[in-house]
Amino acid sequence: MLPYEIVLYQKDAFSKIEIAANLLKELPHPVNKGYVLADSWYSCAVLFNAAT
């Protein structure tokens, strides 16, 4: 089971990309190779780098 957190989007604080990148960085690293499944809206270099 993975712990999760609901993060409210506040336009003045962080962008949606920044929130997603922070959430990706907090995930535990898989024992074997893993993958990230996301909507095509989230396909950008910042998130690709945060997922590695």
Side-chain angles (χ1 to χ4, degrees):
M1 179 166 73
L2 291 175
Y4 66 93
E5 176 181 358
I6 296 173
V7 178
L8 296 176
Y9 171 61
Q10 296 176 350
K11 193 174 187 176
D12 300 339
F14 297 103
S15 71
K16 292 177 185 178
I17 296 295
E18 290 172 325
I19 292 171
N22 289 336
L23 291 173
L24 283 171
K25 290 175 185 175
E26 292 177 5
L27 289 174
H29 291 280
V31 175
N32 297 316
K33 290 185 179 181
Y35 65 91
V36 175
L37 180 64
D39 188 272
S40 63
W41 184 87
Y42 289 97
S43 59
C44 69
V46 173
L47 295 182
F48 289 146
N49 292 333
T52 58

